[in-house]
Amino acid sequence: MKRILITLTFLSGFWASAQNNTSYWQQQVDYTMEVDMNVDNYQYTGTQELVYTNNSPDTLNRVFYHLFFNAFQPGSEMDVRSRTIADPDSRVGDRISKLSETEQGFLKINSLTQNGTTLTYKEVGTVLEVALENPILPGEKTTFNMEFTGQVPVQIRRSGRNSSEGVALSMTQWYPKIAEYDFEGWHADPYLGREFHGVWGDFDVKISIDKSYIMGATGYLQNPQEIGYGYEEAGTKVNRPGGKKLTWHFIAPMVHDFAWAADPEYIHDKRTAADGTVLHFLYKNNPDIKENWKNLQPKTEALLLYFNEHIGEYPWDQYSVIQGGDGGMEYAMLTLITGERTFGSLVGVTAHELAHAWFQHLLANNESKHEWMDEGFTSYISNLAMNEVMEEGKENPLEGTYRGYTRLATSGIEQPQSTHSDRYAVNAAYGTSAYSKGAIFLSQLGYVIGQENLQKTINRYYEEWKFKHPTPNDFIRIAEKVSGAELDWYLTDWTQTTNTIDYSIKEVAEGENETTTVTFERIGLMPMPVDLKVVYKDGTEELVYIPLRMMRWQKPAQNTTKRIVADDWAWAYPTYTLKLNKPKAEISKIIIDDSQMMADINRENNVFEQE
Ligand SMILES: [Zn+2]
């Protein structure tokens, strides 16, 4: 039932927003793959038919494929980058440089044709460059057929064999994957270790593997009665064909990646969530982790329902939480996470990766260029979800996030968020910028336009951009349309510069006729509207809102406390004077941003207090 609805909502959503974005287009890929896995030497062979639809207005003379597994070879860009960056990821370090030939990864193309014509191509590191015999004209479809051979590397980063927790196969970034071509052209980024951008399409994948292996994958299993292992209809008999291998057949509609994992010792549990989504859990039969993995199941459902409500309905029928990988990583309709964790950490990583089903998969921004959009938005929503689902009772679930950002902003190593994810000087700057500063982008937007407008913005962003590739501007335009405020300054300063926010109370002076004059100073370069709380000695409080002139707008009152809307503050003026209609002696405290949702890098000068 849900699956039928997906197609309809997808189409109606697409056309509705096509009216708002008349120039928007996206490429379409339809993959059919048959893969044969050898679990003795970790090599696999495959065929791939790729029907490529060029929806762009451009004629394409060449195409590119990602060959991610080639990164796991001594001397690869990923290896050298990891050995030359000042603070390498401890999972990688110099491990790639030490891989023997049988431990390395590779992905080799054995043949490639376009509509039956043989093509010439060149493997350049992790990218296959293909010259086309026949250019693909705008609106045209073409069919590529390929044969490939791969070797699964020893588990180092995201994918690989025999992880430290004993998972046999974490199969991510494992097949020749055509690069995205969008309004900015080709995105044939080499694989240096982080972030992706993929083409939307349908996947039909058959994987033959030793009969003893239990698998979890992107997509719906088409032959559960031949497979069993808990995929069969409850109480029915499984009819496995003869032979040493089983062929698992999956179909995944409208995704931009396909991942799987397999192990002979997986336990497979299923749980149908209240919204109809079937949750699959695959984890090692290890007595130390079993209880956590059982208790994780109702929490995963609660998280799913939280995201349904606060972002938009999860559109696929299935989601799998699978033990594998090297930490946690999001994929289409599934996540691979390490499983030997405390319960809180297990739920936390699941919350983060599940949130990526929206902010990465469904709302598929280019992660390489705008890593803060998926990592930051995911961090924001999963922090709020954890607070509720785990009953953490935090007043501000992002408190630590703000502290982390402030440390970065005052460290001297910060680079603008518009930096390509591979090009940060140090990993630490990337991490805090993408995750913490990205989360604050949303949280602080709630301060700028109000909580209700923020919630409406997120919901409308989902409605207009699901199954597409939104850009930062697409998001902020929705926030503008929802709220009515001008917000281009917010996007520009926060994401394209390292400008910081620092407002201060410079002076509180006795005014004429029993009034008080408060002088504020804008010390940081980034503009902001100012929320002020004034507490009087008689215990009464009032709020003062100083609008930012360039927003051409006023935030609605956020609660029932008496609020005064003062004159607006134009950014170029470094100081601003406010008159309070009470004598200075009656004031107990004045606070800039009592909510602490504005990322002011020096909060010490935000408060005036007197006995
Ligand atoms: Zn993430």
Side-chain angles (χ1 to χ4, degrees), residues 195 328-330 352-353 356 374-375 378-379 435:
E195 306 306 336
M329 184 64 192
E330 67 276 11
H352 181 93
E353 306 310 337
H356 272 306
D374 49 285
E375 293 305 348
T378 288
S379 299
Y435 291 76

Side-chain angles (χ1 to χ4, degrees), residues 308-500:
N308 278 346
E309 188 188 335
H310 291 91
I311 314 173
E313 203 201 342
Y314 180 77
W316 294 280
D317 282 345
Q318 172 190 313
Y319 186 83
S320 305
V321 182
I322 305 175
Q323 187 181 2
D326 59 27
M329 184 64 192
E330 67 276 11
Y331 294 99
M333 298 164 71
L334 66 80
T335 177
L336 258 54
I337 58 171
T338 47
E340 297 172 10
R341 297 164 175 267
T342 62
F343 186 59
S345 166
L346 188 66
V347 180
V349 71
T350 304
H352 181 93
E353 306 310 337
L354 177 59
H356 272 306
W358 285 262
F359 297 130
Q360 183 269 346
H361 211 82
L362 206 47
L363 296 150
N365 59 281
N366 181 341
E367 296 176 76
S368 295
K369 293 189 67 174
H370 311 298
E371 56 277 3
W372 58 275
M373 283 184 84
D374 49 285
E375 293 305 348
F377 290 17
T378 288
S379 299
Y380 168 78
I381 204 84
S382 61
N383 270 299
L384 299 191
M386 281 295 282
N387 199 39
E388 184 166 305
V389 167
M390 296 296 277
E391 295 168 24
E392 291 174 342
K394 292 178 187 162
E395 202 179 321
N396 177 6
L398 289 145
E399 207 184 327
T401 307
Y402 277 84
R403 272 200 308 272
Y405 160 70
T406 301
R407 270 197 303 275
L408 173 70
T410 53
S411 68
I413 62 163
E414 188 186 8
Q415 289 174 259
Q417 284 184 313
S418 52
T419 304
H420 189 286
S421 64
D422 287 328
R423 241 93 73 209
Y424 282 85
V426 286
N427 281 322
Y430 158 81
T432 306
S433 173
Y435 291 76
S436 302
K437 195 180 182 187
I440 295 171
F441 176 88
L442 273 193
S443 167
Q444 183 172 253
L445 185 60
Y447 166 86
V448 174
I449 63 173
Q451 283 307 319
E452 201 182 322
N453 280 325
L454 173 64
Q455 185 55 57
K456 283 184 188 162
T457 297
I458 294 171
N459 294 138
R460 187 161 160 191
Y461 177 53
Y462 164 88
E463 283 303 331
E464 289 194 16
W465 288 99
K466 61 187 171 184
F467 297 108
K468 294 195 205 169
H469 294 302
T471 64
N473 190 58
D474 295 324
F475 180 83
I476 209 69
R477 287 293 293 130
I478 287 175
E480 287 192 332
K481 288 179 209 172
V482 164
S483 66
E486 287 202 27
L487 295 167
D488 53 339
W489 61 273
Y490 183 68
L491 182 70
T492 308
D493 275 64
W494 192 253
T495 71
Q496 297 170 27
T497 77
T498 54
N499 290 349
T500 52

Side-chain angles (χ1 to χ4, degrees), residues 174-228:
W174 60 278
Y175 61 95
K177 182 179 178 182
I178 198 153
E180 180 60 297
Y181 181 85
D182 64 15
F183 74 107
E184 293 172 309
W186 283 106
H187 298 279
D189 291 326
Y191 185 36
L192 270 63
R194 67 162 68 105
E195 306 306 336
F196 304 96
H197 188 39
V199 194
W200 282 105
D202 297 334
F203 285 68
D204 182 319
V205 182
K206 287 180 183 154
I207 303 163
S208 296
I209 192 167
D210 189 276
K211 236 175 193 165
S212 65
Y213 278 66
I214 301 157
M215 196 181 293
T218 299
Y220 308 117
L221 186 63
Q222 301 298 299
N223 54 341
Q225 297 308 120
E226 282 182 8
I227 297 292

Side-chain angles (χ1 to χ4, degrees), residues 554-566:
Q554 291 175 10
K555 175 166 71 173
Q558 297 293 296
N559 56 43
T560 51
T561 310
K562 183 190 163 207
R563 188 182 79 153
I564 298 159
V565 177

Side-chain angles (χ1 to χ4, degrees), residues 30-48:
D30 296 299
Y31 285 90
T32 307
M33 290 192 276
E34 290 191 19
V35 182
D36 187 39
M37 183 80 212
N38 180 339
V39 296
D40 297 322
N41 64 4
Y42 301 100
Q43 291 190 0
Y44 54 101
T45 55
T47 58
Q48 181 189 87

